Amino acid sequence: MTITTKFNINDEVWFIHPKTQRVVQGKVCGIDCMVNSRKKYEANPNNKGLIPTGEYETMWSKNRYDIYDKVAKDRYSVYEQSVFPTKQELINSL
């Protein structure tokens, strides 16, 4: 399995500050990748129904960034869909 992220450690990014609700710039200082899976099943050749294969398949994955806010001098966790490379892209998403 390969996990890719939109941003890397030390990238400058823009996000909505969780406390002030203002547009701020910060630096990525950590990345959390969450992946969830479920059992895989196949048709039972002897009768109706399914049997587990012993393998798992990915259901979903989410990336969350720890961002250091230079102004507040604090770290915040923000999901990838709420982080942008430029201020203009963040504004356009609103």
Side-chain angles (χ1 to χ4, degrees):
M1 171 182 216
T2 302
I3 298 174
T4 58
T5 61
K6 189 174 175 182
F7 301 102
N8 295 311
I9 300 292
N10 291 319
D11 282 356
E12 297 285 336
V13 295
W14 290 87
F15 66 105
I16 301 291
H17 192 282
K19 292 181 181 176
T20 65
Q21 297 300 305
R22 293 186 178 200
V23 174
V24 294
Q25 185 180 30
K27 184 179 276 197
V28 176
C29 58
I31 302 171
D32 294 321
C33 300
M34 297 169 281
V35 180
N36 199 348
S37 65
R38 65 178 172 198
K39 288 182 179 181
K40 287 176 99 175
Y41 293 88
E42 63 184 18
N44 187 341
N46 298 327
N47 62 8
K48 295 179 183 178
L50 301 172
I51 57 173
T53 64
E55 296 181 1
Y56 292 84
E57 61 186 347
T58 302
M59 287 177 30
W60 55 263
S61 64
K62 292 181 182 179
N63 296 325
R64 187 174 60 199
Y65 296 96
D66 290 333
I67 301 174
Y68 179 75
D69 175 8
K70 298 175 184 179
V71 176
K73 302 205 182 321
D74 205 353
R75 289 171 66 147
Y76 300 97
S77 290
V78 183
Y79 284 104
E80 187 169 74
Q81 66 269 18
S82 301
V83 180
F84 298 88
T86 66
K87 184 177 184 179
Q88 188 59 49
E89 285 185 51
L90 188 153
I91 292 169
N92 291 345
S93 74
L94 300 176

Coordinates of all heavy atoms in Angstrom, one line a residue:
M1 N 0.8 -1.2 0.0 CA 0.0 0.0 0.0 C 0.9 1.2 0.0 O 1.9 1.3 0.7 CB -0.9 0.0 1.2 CG -1.7 1.3 1.4 SD -2.6 1.2 2.9 CE -4.0 2.1 2.3
T2 N 0.5 2.2 -0.8 CA 1.2 3.5 -0.8 C 0.3 4.6 -0.3 O -0.9 4.7 -0.7 CB 1.6 3.8 -2.3 OG1 2.4 2.8 -2.7 CG2 2.4 5.1 -2.3
I3 N 0.8 5.4 0.6 CA 0.0 6.5 1.2 C 0.6 7.8 0.7 O 1.8 8.0 0.9 CB 0.0 6.5 2.7 CG1 -0.7 5.2 3.2 CG2 -0.7 7.7 3.2 CD1 -0.7 5.0 4.7
T4 N -0.2 8.6 0.0 CA 0.4 9.8 -0.5 C -0.4 11.0 0.2 O -1.5 10.9 0.6 CB 0.1 10.0 -2.0 OG1 -1.2 9.9 -2.3 CG2 0.9 8.9 -2.8
T5 N 0.4 12.1 0.4 CA -0.2 13.3 1.0 C -0.1 14.5 0.1 O 0.8 14.5 -0.8 CB 0.5 13.6 2.3 OG1 1.9 13.8 2.1 CG2 0.4 12.4 3.3
K6 N -1.0 15.4 0.3 CA -1.0 16.6 -0.6 C 0.2 17.5 -0.2 O 0.8 18.2 -1.0 CB -2.3 17.3 -0.3 CG -2.6 18.5 -1.3 CD -4.0 19.0 -1.0 CE -4.3 20.2 -1.8 NZ -5.6 20.7 -1.5
F7 N 0.6 17.5 1.1 CA 1.7 18.4 1.6 C 2.7 17.5 2.3 O 2.4 16.4 2.8 CB 1.1 19.4 2.5 CG 0.1 20.3 1.9 CD1 -1.3 20.1 2.1 CD2 0.5 21.3 1.0 CE1 -2.2 20.9 1.5 CE2 -0.5 22.1 0.4 CZ -1.8 21.9 0.7
N8 N 3.9 18.1 2.5 CA 5.0 17.4 3.2 C 5.4 18.2 4.4 O 5.0 19.4 4.6 CB 6.2 17.3 2.3 CG 6.0 16.4 1.1 OD1 5.5 15.3 1.3 ND2 6.3 16.9 -0.1
I9 N 6.2 17.6 5.3 CA 6.7 18.3 6.5 C 7.4 19.6 6.0 O 8.1 19.6 5.0 CB 7.6 17.4 7.3 CG1 6.9 16.2 7.8 CG2 8.3 18.2 8.4 CD1 5.9 16.4 8.8
N10 N 7.3 20.7 6.7 CA 7.9 22.0 6.4 C 7.2 22.8 5.3 O 7.6 23.9 5.0 CB 9.4 21.9 6.2 CG 10.1 21.6 7.4 OD1 9.8 22.1 8.5 ND2 11.1 20.7 7.3
D11 N 6.2 22.3 4.7 CA 5.5 23.0 3.6 C 4.7 24.2 4.3 O 4.1 24.0 5.4 CB 4.5 22.2 2.9 CG 5.1 21.3 1.8 OD1 6.4 21.4 1.6 OD2 4.4 20.5 1.2
E12 N 4.7 25.3 3.7 CA 3.9 26.5 4.1 C 2.5 26.3 3.5 O 2.3 26.0 2.4 CB 4.5 27.8 3.6 CG 5.8 28.1 4.1 CD 5.8 28.5 5.6 OE1 4.8 29.1 6.1 OE2 6.9 28.4 6.3
V13 N 1.4 26.4 4.4 CA 0.1 26.1 4.0 C -0.8 27.2 4.6 O -0.5 27.9 5.5 CB -0.4 24.7 4.4 CG1 0.4 23.6 3.7 CG2 -0.3 24.5 5.9
W14 N -2.1 27.3 4.1 CA -3.1 28.2 4.6 C -4.3 27.4 5.0 O -4.6 26.4 4.4 CB -3.5 29.1 3.4 CG -2.4 30.1 3.1 CD1 -1.4 29.9 2.2 CD2 -2.3 31.4 3.6 NE1 -0.6 31.0 2.1 CE2 -1.1 32.0 3.0 CE3 -2.9 32.2 4.5 CZ2 -0.6 33.2 3.3 CZ3 -2.5 33.5 4.8 CH2 -1.4 34.0 4.2
F15 N -4.9 27.9 6.1 CA -6.1 27.2 6.7 C -6.9 28.2 7.5 O -6.5 29.3 7.8 CB -5.6 26.0 7.6 CG -4.8 26.4 8.8 CD1 -5.5 26.3 10.0 CD2 -3.5 26.8 8.7 CE1 -4.8 26.7 11.2 CE2 -2.8 27.1 9.9 CZ -3.4 27.1 11.1
I16 N -8.1 27.7 7.9 CA -9.0 28.5 8.7 C -8.6 28.2 10.2 O -8.7 27.0 10.6 CB -10.5 28.2 8.5 CG1 -10.8 28.5 7.0 CG2 -11.3 29.0 9.4 CD1 -10.8 29.9 6.6
H17 N -8.2 29.2 10.9 CA -7.8 28.9 12.3 C -9.0 28.4 13.1 O -10.1 29.0 13.0 CB -7.3 30.3 12.9 CG -6.6 30.1 14.2 ND1 -7.3 29.9 15.4 CD2 -5.3 30.1 14.5 CE1 -6.4 29.7 16.4 NE2 -5.2 29.9 15.9
P18 N -8.9 27.3 13.8 CA -10.0 26.7 14.5 C -10.6 27.5 15.6 O -11.8 27.4 15.9 CB -9.5 25.4 15.1 CG -8.0 25.5 15.0 CD -7.6 26.5 14.0
K19 N -9.8 28.4 16.2 CA -10.4 29.2 17.3 C -10.9 30.6 16.8 O -12.0 31.0 17.2 CB -9.3 29.5 18.4 CG -9.0 28.2 19.1 CD -7.9 28.5 20.2 CE -7.6 27.2 20.9 NZ -6.5 27.4 21.9
T20 N -10.1 31.3 16.0 CA -10.5 32.6 15.5 C -11.3 32.6 14.3 O -11.9 33.7 13.9 CB -9.3 33.5 15.3 OG1 -8.5 32.9 14.2 CG2 -8.4 33.6 16.5
Q21 N -11.4 31.5 13.5 CA -12.1 31.4 12.2 C -11.5 32.4 11.2 O -12.2 32.8 10.3 CB -13.6 31.6 12.4 CG -14.2 30.5 13.3 CD -14.0 29.1 12.7 OE1 -14.3 28.8 11.5 NE2 -13.4 28.2 13.5
R22 N -10.2 32.7 11.3 CA -9.6 33.6 10.4 C -8.6 32.8 9.5 O -8.2 31.8 9.8 CB -8.8 34.7 11.1 CG -9.7 35.7 11.8 CD -8.9 36.8 12.4 NE -9.8 37.7 13.1 CZ -9.5 38.9 13.3 NH1 -8.3 39.4 13.0 NH2 -10.3 39.7 13.9
V23 N -8.4 33.4 8.3 CA -7.4 32.7 7.4 C -6.0 33.0 7.9 O -5.6 34.2 8.1 CB -7.6 33.3 5.9 CG1 -6.6 32.8 5.0 CG2 -9.0 33.0 5.4
V24 N -5.2 31.9 8.1 CA -3.9 32.1 8.6 C -2.9 31.2 7.8 O -3.3 30.2 7.2 CB -3.7 31.8 10.1 CG1 -4.5 32.8 10.9 CG2 -4.2 30.4 10.4
Q25 N -1.6 31.5 7.9 CA -0.6 30.7 7.3 C 0.1 29.9 8.4 O 0.3 30.4 9.5 CB 0.4 31.5 6.5 CG 1.4 30.7 5.7 CD 2.4 31.6 5.0 OE1 2.7 32.7 5.4 NE2 2.9 31.1 3.8
G26 N 0.5 28.7 8.1 CA 1.3 27.9 9.0 C 2.2 27.0 8.3 O 2.3 27.0 7.1
K27 N 2.9 26.2 9.1 CA 3.9 25.3 8.5 C 3.5 23.9 9.0 O 3.3 23.6 10.2 CB 5.3 25.6 9.0 CG 6.4 24.7 8.4 CD 7.8 25.1 8.9 CE 8.2 26.3 8.1 NZ 9.7 26.5 8.2
V28 N 3.6 22.9 8.1 CA 3.2 21.5 8.4 C 4.4 21.0 9.3 O 5.5 21.0 8.9 CB 3.1 20.7 7.1 CG1 2.9 19.2 7.5 CG2 1.9 21.2 6.3
C29 N 4.0 20.5 10.5 CA 5.1 19.9 11.4 C 4.8 18.5 11.7 O 5.6 17.9 12.4 CB 5.2 20.8 12.6 SG 3.7 21.0 13.6
G30 N 3.7 17.9 11.2 CA 3.4 16.5 11.5 C 2.2 16.1 10.6 O 1.4 16.9 10.1
I31 N 2.2 14.8 10.3 CA 1.2 14.2 9.4 C 0.6 12.9 10.0 O 1.4 12.1 10.4 CB 1.7 13.9 8.0 CG1 2.3 15.2 7.3 CG2 0.6 13.3 7.1 CD1 3.0 14.9 6.0
D32 N -0.7 12.8 10.1 CA -1.3 11.6 10.6 C -2.1 11.0 9.4 O -2.9 11.7 8.8 CB -2.3 11.9 11.7 CG -1.7 12.4 13.0 OD1 -0.6 11.9 13.3 OD2 -2.3 13.3 13.6
C33 N -1.9 9.7 9.2 CA -2.6 9.1 8.1 C -3.5 8.0 8.7 O -3.0 7.1 9.5 CB -1.6 8.4 7.1 SG -0.6 9.6 6.3
M34 N -4.8 8.1 8.5 CA -5.7 7.1 9.1 C -6.3 6.3 7.9 O -6.8 6.8 6.9 CB -6.8 7.8 9.8 CG -6.3 8.6 11.0 SD -7.6 9.7 11.7 CE -7.5 11.0 10.5
V35 N -6.2 5.0 8.1 CA -6.7 4.1 7.0 C -7.6 3.0 7.7 O -7.3 2.5 8.7 CB -5.6 3.4 6.3 CG1 -6.2 2.4 5.2 CG2 -4.6 4.4 5.7
N36 N -8.8 2.8 7.1 CA -9.7 1.8 7.7 C -10.0 0.8 6.6 O -10.0 1.1 5.4 CB -11.0 2.5 8.1 CG -11.8 1.6 9.1 OD1 -11.5 0.4 9.3 ND2 -12.8 2.2 9.7
S37 N -10.2 -0.5 7.1 CA -10.4 -1.6 6.1 C -11.6 -2.4 6.6 O -12.1 -2.3 7.6 CB -9.2 -2.4 6.0 OG -8.9 -3.0 7.2
R38 N -12.0 -3.4 5.7 CA -13.0 -4.4 6.0 C -12.6 -5.7 5.4 O -11.7 -5.8 4.5 CB -14.3 -3.9 5.5 CG -14.4 -3.9 4.0 CD -15.8 -3.5 3.5 NE -15.7 -3.2 2.1 CZ -16.6 -2.6 1.4 NH1 -17.6 -2.1 2.0 NH2 -16.5 -2.4 0.1
K39 N -13.2 -6.8 5.9 CA -12.8 -8.1 5.5 C -13.3 -8.3 4.0 O -14.4 -7.8 3.6 CB -13.5 -9.2 6.3 CG -13.0 -9.3 7.7 CD -13.7 -10.5 8.4 CE -13.1 -10.7 9.8 NZ -13.8 -11.8 10.5
K40 N -12.5 -9.1 3.2 CA -13.0 -9.4 1.9 C -13.7 -10.8 1.9 O -13.3 -11.6 2.7 CB -11.8 -9.5 1.0 CG -11.1 -8.2 0.6 CD -9.9 -8.4 -0.2 CE -10.2 -8.2 -1.7 NZ -9.0 -8.3 -2.6
Y41 N -14.7 -10.9 1.1 CA -15.4 -12.2 1.1 C -15.5 -12.7 -0.4 O -15.3 -11.9 -1.3 CB -16.9 -12.0 1.6 CG -17.0 -11.6 3.0 CD1 -16.9 -10.3 3.5 CD2 -17.1 -12.7 3.9 CE1 -16.9 -10.1 4.8 CE2 -17.2 -12.4 5.3 CZ -17.1 -11.1 5.7 OH -17.2 -10.8 7.1
E42 N -15.7 -14.0 -0.5 CA -15.9 -14.5 -1.9 C -17.1 -15.5 -1.8 O -17.5 -16.0 -0.7 CB -14.6 -15.2 -2.4 CG -14.2 -16.4 -1.5 CD -12.9 -17.0 -2.0 OE1 -12.1 -16.3 -2.7 OE2 -12.6 -18.2 -1.6
A43 N -17.6 -15.8 -3.0 CA -18.7 -16.7 -3.0 C -18.3 -18.1 -2.6 O -17.3 -18.6 -2.9 CB -19.3 -16.8 -4.5
N44 N -19.2 -18.7 -1.8 CA -19.0 -20.1 -1.3 C -19.3 -21.1 -2.4 O -20.5 -21.1 -2.8 CB -19.8 -20.3 0.0 CG -19.5 -21.7 0.6 OD1 -18.9 -22.5 0.0 ND2 -19.9 -21.8 1.9
P45 N -18.4 -21.9 -2.9 CA -18.7 -22.8 -4.0 C -19.6 -23.9 -3.7 O -20.3 -24.5 -4.5 CB -17.3 -23.3 -4.4 CG -16.4 -23.2 -3.2 CD -17.0 -22.0 -2.5
N46 N -19.7 -24.2 -2.4 CA -20.6 -25.4 -1.9 C -22.0 -25.0 -1.7 O -22.9 -25.9 -1.8 CB -20.0 -26.0 -0.7 CG -18.6 -26.5 -0.9 OD1 -18.3 -27.0 -2.0 ND2 -17.8 -26.5 0.1
N47 N -22.3 -23.8 -1.4 CA -23.7 -23.4 -1.2 C -23.8 -21.9 -1.4 O -22.9 -21.2 -1.7 CB -24.2 -23.8 0.2 CG -23.4 -23.2 1.3 OD1 -22.6 -22.3 1.0 ND2 -23.6 -23.6 2.5
K48 N -25.0 -21.4 -1.1 CA -25.2 -20.0 -1.2 C -24.5 -19.2 -0.1 O -24.3 -19.8 1.0 CB -26.7 -19.6 -1.2 CG -27.4 -20.2 -2.3 CD -28.9 -19.8 -2.2 CE -29.7 -20.4 -3.4 NZ -31.1 -20.2 -3.3
G49 N -24.1 -18.0 -0.3 CA -23.5 -17.2 0.8 C -22.1 -16.9 0.4 O -21.6 -17.2 -0.6
L50 N -21.5 -16.3 1.4 CA -20.1 -15.8 1.2 C -19.2 -16.4 2.3 O -19.7 -16.6 3.4 CB -20.0 -14.3 1.3 CG -20.9 -13.5 0.3 CD1 -20.9 -12.0 0.6 CD2 -20.3 -13.7 -1.1
I51 N -17.9 -16.5 2.0 CA -16.9 -16.9 3.0 C -15.8 -15.9 3.0 O -15.4 -15.3 2.0 CB -16.4 -18.3 2.8 CG1 -15.8 -18.4 1.4 CG2 -17.5 -19.4 2.9 CD1 -15.1 -19.7 1.1
P52 N -15.2 -15.6 4.2 CA -14.1 -14.7 4.3 C -12.9 -15.2 3.6 O -12.6 -16.4 3.7 CB -13.9 -14.5 5.8 CG -14.6 -15.6 6.5 CD -15.6 -16.1 5.5
T53 N -12.1 -14.4 2.9 CA -10.9 -14.8 2.2 C -9.7 -14.7 3.1 O -8.6 -15.2 2.8 CB -10.6 -13.9 1.0 OG1 -10.4 -12.6 1.4 CG2 -11.8 -13.9 0.0
G54 N -9.8 -14.1 4.3 CA -8.6 -13.9 5.1 C -7.9 -12.6 4.8 O -6.8 -12.3 5.4
E55 N -8.4 -11.8 3.8 CA -7.7 -10.6 3.4 C -8.6 -9.4 3.7 O -9.8 -9.6 4.0 CB -7.4 -10.6 1.9 CG -6.4 -11.7 1.5 CD -6.1 -11.7 0.1 OE1 -6.6 -10.8 -0.7 OE2 -5.3 -12.5 -0.4
Y56 N -8.1 -8.2 3.6 CA -8.8 -7.0 3.9 C -8.7 -6.0 2.7 O -7.7 -6.1 2.0 CB -8.3 -6.3 5.2 CG -8.6 -7.1 6.4 CD1 -7.8 -8.2 6.8 CD2 -9.7 -6.9 7.2 CE1 -8.0 -8.9 7.9 CE2 -10.0 -7.6 8.3 CZ -9.2 -8.7 8.7 OH -9.5 -9.4 9.8
E57 N -9.7 -5.2 2.6 CA -9.6 -4.1 1.5 C -9.8 -2.8 2.2 O -10.5 -2.7 3.2 CB -10.6 -4.4 0.5 CG -12.1 -4.4 0.9 CD -13.1 -4.8 -0.2 OE1 -12.7 -4.8 -1.3 OE2 -14.2 -5.1 0.2
T58 N -9.2 -1.8 1.6 CA -9.3 -0.4 2.2 C -10.7 0.1 1.9 O -11.2 0.1 0.8 CB -8.2 0.5 1.5 OG1 -7.0 -0.1 1.7 CG2 -8.3 1.9 2.0
M59 N -11.3 0.7 3.0 CA -12.6 1.3 2.9 C -12.4 2.8 2.7 O -13.0 3.4 1.8 CB -13.4 1.1 4.1 CG -14.0 -0.3 4.2 SD -14.9 -0.6 5.8 CE -15.6 0.9 6.2
W60 N -11.6 3.4 3.5 CA -11.3 4.9 3.3 C -10.0 5.2 4.0 O -9.4 4.5 4.8 CB -12.4 5.7 4.0 CG -12.7 5.4 5.4 CD1 -13.7 4.6 5.9 CD2 -12.0 5.9 6.6 NE1 -13.7 4.5 7.3 CE2 -12.6 5.3 7.7 CE3 -11.0 6.7 6.8 CZ2 -12.2 5.6 9.0 CZ3 -10.5 7.0 8.1 CH2 -11.2 6.4 9.1
S61 N -9.5 6.4 3.6 CA -8.3 6.9 4.2 C -8.4 8.4 4.4 O -9.1 9.1 3.6 CB -7.0 6.6 3.4 OG -7.1 7.2 2.2
K62 N -7.8 9.0 5.4 CA -7.9 10.4 5.7 C -6.5 10.9 6.1 O -5.8 10.1 6.9 CB -8.9 10.8 6.8 CG -10.3 10.6 6.4 CD -11.2 11.0 7.6 CE -12.6 10.7 7.3 NZ -13.5 11.1 8.4
N63 N -6.1 12.0 5.7 CA -4.8 12.6 6.2 C -5.2 13.8 7.0 O -6.0 14.6 6.7 CB -3.9 13.0 5.0 CG -3.5 11.8 4.2 OD1 -3.3 10.7 4.7 ND2 -3.4 12.0 2.9
R64 N -4.4 14.0 8.1 CA -4.6 15.1 9.0 C -3.2 15.7 9.2 O -2.3 15.0 9.5 CB -5.3 14.7 10.3 CG -5.6 15.8 11.2 CD -6.4 15.4 12.4 NE -5.6 14.4 13.2 CZ -6.1 13.6 14.1 NH1 -7.4 13.6 14.3 NH2 -5.3 12.8 14.7
Y65 N -3.1 17.0 9.1 CA -1.9 17.7 9.3 C -1.8 18.4 10.6 O -2.8 19.0 11.1 CB -1.7 18.7 8.2 CG -1.6 18.1 6.8 CD1 -2.7 18.0 6.0 CD2 -0.4 17.6 6.4 CE1 -2.6 17.4 4.8 CE2 -0.3 17.0 5.1 CZ -1.4 16.9 4.3 OH -1.4 16.3 3.1
D66 N -0.7 18.3 11.3 CA -0.4 19.2 12.4 C 0.3 20.4 11.9 O 1.4 20.3 11.2 CB 0.6 18.5 13.4 CG -0.1 17.3 14.2 OD1 -1.4 17.4 14.3 OD2 0.6 16.4 14.6
I67 N -0.3 21.5 12.1 CA 0.2 22.8 11.5 C 0.6 23.7 12.6 O -0.2 24.0 13.6 CB -0.8 23.4 10.6 CG1 -1.2 22.5 9.5 CG2 -0.3 24.7 10.0 CD1 -2.4 22.9 8.6
Y68 N 1.8 24.3 12.5 CA 2.3 25.3 13.5 C 1.9 26.6 13.0 O 2.3 27.1 11.9 CB 3.8 25.2 13.6 CG 4.4 26.2 14.6 CD1 4.2 26.0 16.0 CD2 5.0 27.3 14.1 CE1 4.7 26.9 16.9 CE2 5.6 28.2 15.0 CZ 5.4 28.0 16.4 OH 5.9 28.9 17.3
D69 N 1.1 27.3 13.8 CA 0.6 28.7 13.5 C 1.7 29.6 14.0 O 1.9 29.7 15.2 CB -0.7 28.9 14.2 CG -1.2 30.3 14.0 OD1 -0.6 31.1 13.3 OD2 -2.3 30.6 14.6
K70 N 2.3 30.4 13.1 CA 3.4 31.3 13.5 C 2.9 32.5 14.4 O 3.6 33.0 15.2 CB 4.0 31.9 12.2 CG 4.7 30.8 11.3 CD 5.1 31.5 10.0 CE 5.7 30.5 9.1 NZ 6.1 31.1 7.9
V71 N 1.7 32.9 14.2 CA 1.2 34.0 14.9 C 0.8 33.6 16.4 O 1.3 34.2 17.3 CB -0.1 34.7 14.2 CG1 -0.7 35.8 15.1 CG2 0.3 35.1 12.8
A72 N 0.0 32.6 16.5 CA -0.4 32.1 17.8 C 0.7 31.3 18.5 O 0.6 31.0 19.7 CB -1.7 31.3 17.7
K73 N 1.7 30.9 17.8 CA 2.7 30.0 18.2 C 2.2 28.8 18.9 O 2.5 28.4 20.1 CB 3.6 30.8 19.2 CG 4.3 32.0 18.5 CD 5.5 32.4 19.2 CE 6.2 33.7 18.6 NZ 6.1 33.9 17.2
D74 N 1.3 28.1 18.2 CA 0.7 26.9 18.7 C 0.4 25.9 17.5 O 0.5 26.3 16.3 CB -0.7 27.2 19.3 CG -1.1 26.2 20.4 OD1 -0.4 25.2 20.5 OD2 -2.1 26.5 21.0
R75 N 0.2 24.6 17.8 CA -0.1 23.6 16.8 C -1.5 23.3 16.8 O -2.2 23.2 17.8 CB 0.7 22.4 17.1 CG 2.2 22.5 17.0 CD 2.9 21.3 17.5 NE 2.7 20.1 16.7 CZ 3.6 19.1 16.5 NH1 4.8 19.2 17.0 NH2 3.2 18.1 15.8
Y76 N -2.0 23.0 15.5 CA -3.4 22.7 15.3 C -3.5 21.5 14.4 O -2.7 21.4 13.4 CB -4.2 23.8 14.8 CG -4.2 25.0 15.7 CD1 -3.3 26.1 15.5 CD2 -5.1 25.1 16.8 CE1 -3.3 27.1 16.4 CE2 -5.0 26.1 17.7 CZ -4.1 27.1 17.5 OH -4.1 28.2 18.4
S77 N -4.4 20.6 14.6 CA -4.7 19.5 13.6 C -5.8 19.9 12.7 O -6.9 20.3 13.1 CB -5.1 18.2 14.4 OG -4.0 17.7 15.1
V78 N -5.5 19.7 11.4 CA -6.5 20.1 10.3 C -6.5 19.0 9.3 O -5.5 18.6 8.8 CB -6.1 21.5 9.7 CG1 -7.1 21.9 8.7 CG2 -5.8 22.5 10.8
Y79 N -7.7 18.6 8.9 CA -7.8 17.6 7.8 C -7.4 18.2 6.5 O -7.5 19.4 6.2 CB -9.3 17.1 7.8 CG -9.6 16.1 8.9 CD1 -10.3 16.5 10.0 CD2 -9.1 14.8 8.9 CE1 -10.6 15.6 11.0 CE2 -9.3 13.9 9.9 CZ -10.1 14.3 11.0 OH -10.3 13.5 12.0
E80 N -6.9 17.3 5.6 CA -6.3 17.6 4.3 C -7.3 18.5 3.5 O -6.8 19.4 2.8 CB -5.9 16.4 3.6 CG -5.2 16.7 2.3 CD -4.6 15.4 1.7 OE1 -5.3 14.6 1.2 OE2 -3.3 15.3 1.9
Q81 N -8.6 18.2 3.5 CA -9.5 19.0 2.6 C -9.6 20.4 3.1 O -10.2 21.2 2.3 CB -10.9 18.3 2.6 CG -11.6 18.2 3.9 CD -11.4 17.0 4.7 OE1 -10.4 16.3 4.5 NE2 -12.3 16.7 5.6
S82 N -9.1 20.8 4.3 CA -9.2 22.1 4.8 C -7.9 22.9 4.8 O -7.8 23.9 5.3 CB -9.7 22.1 6.2 OG -11.0 21.5 6.3
V83 N -6.9 22.3 4.1 CA -5.6 22.9 4.0 C -5.3 23.2 2.5 O -5.5 22.4 1.6 CB -4.5 21.9 4.6 CG1 -3.1 22.6 4.5 CG2 -4.8 21.6 6.0
F84 N -4.7 24.4 2.3 CA -4.4 24.9 0.9 C -3.0 25.4 0.7 O -2.5 26.0 1.7 CB -5.5 26.0 0.6 CG -6.9 25.4 0.6 CD1 -7.6 25.5 1.8 CD2 -7.5 24.9 -0.5 CE1 -8.9 25.0 1.9 CE2 -8.8 24.4 -0.4 CZ -9.5 24.4 0.8
P85 N -2.5 25.3 -0.5 CA -1.1 25.8 -0.7 C -1.0 27.3 -0.8 O 0.0 27.9 -0.5 CB -0.7 25.2 -2.0 CG -2.0 24.9 -2.7 CD -3.0 24.6 -1.6
T86 N -2.1 28.0 -1.1 CA -2.1 29.5 -1.2 C -3.3 30.1 -0.6 O -4.4 29.4 -0.4 CB -2.1 29.9 -2.7 OG1 -3.3 29.6 -3.3 CG2 -0.9 29.4 -3.5
K87 N -3.2 31.3 -0.2 CA -4.3 32.0 0.4 C -5.5 32.1 -0.6 O -6.7 32.0 -0.2 CB -3.9 33.4 0.9 CG -4.9 34.2 1.6 CD -4.3 35.5 2.1 CE -5.3 36.3 2.9 NZ -4.7 37.6 3.4
Q88 N -5.2 32.4 -1.8 CA -6.2 32.6 -2.8 C -7.0 31.3 -3.0 O -8.2 31.3 -3.2 CB -5.6 33.0 -4.2 CG -6.6 33.4 -5.2 CD -7.5 34.5 -4.7 OE1 -7.1 35.6 -4.2 NE2 -8.9 34.4 -4.9
E89 N -6.4 30.1 -3.0 CA -7.1 28.8 -3.2 C -8.0 28.6 -2.0 O -9.1 28.1 -2.2 CB -6.1 27.7 -3.3 CG -5.4 27.6 -4.7 CD -4.5 26.4 -4.9 OE1 -5.0 25.3 -4.6 OE2 -3.4 26.6 -5.3
L90 N -7.6 29.0 -0.8 CA -8.4 28.8 0.4 C -9.7 29.7 0.2 O -10.8 29.3 0.4 CB -7.7 29.2 1.6 CG -8.4 28.9 2.9 CD1 -7.4 28.7 4.1 CD2 -9.3 30.0 3.3
I91 N -9.5 31.0 -0.2 CA -10.6 31.9 -0.3 C -11.5 31.4 -1.4 O -12.7 31.5 -1.3 CB -10.0 33.3 -0.7 CG1 -9.3 33.9 0.6 CG2 -11.2 34.2 -1.1 CD1 -8.5 35.1 0.3
N92 N -11.0 30.9 -2.5 CA -11.8 30.4 -3.6 C -12.7 29.2 -3.1 O -13.8 28.9 -3.7 CB -11.0 30.0 -4.8 CG -10.4 31.1 -5.5 OD1 -10.8 32.3 -5.3 ND2 -9.4 30.9 -6.3
S93 N -12.2 28.4 -2.2 CA -13.0 27.2 -1.7 C -14.1 27.6 -0.8 O -15.0 26.8 -0.5 CB -12.0 26.3 -0.9 OG -11.7 26.8 0.4
L94 N -14.2 28.8 -0.3 CA -15.2 29.2 0.6 C -16.5 29.5 -0.1 O -16.6 29.8 -1.2 CB -14.8 30.5 1.4 CG -13.6 30.2 2.3 CD1 -13.2 31.5 3.0 CD2 -13.8 29.2 3.3

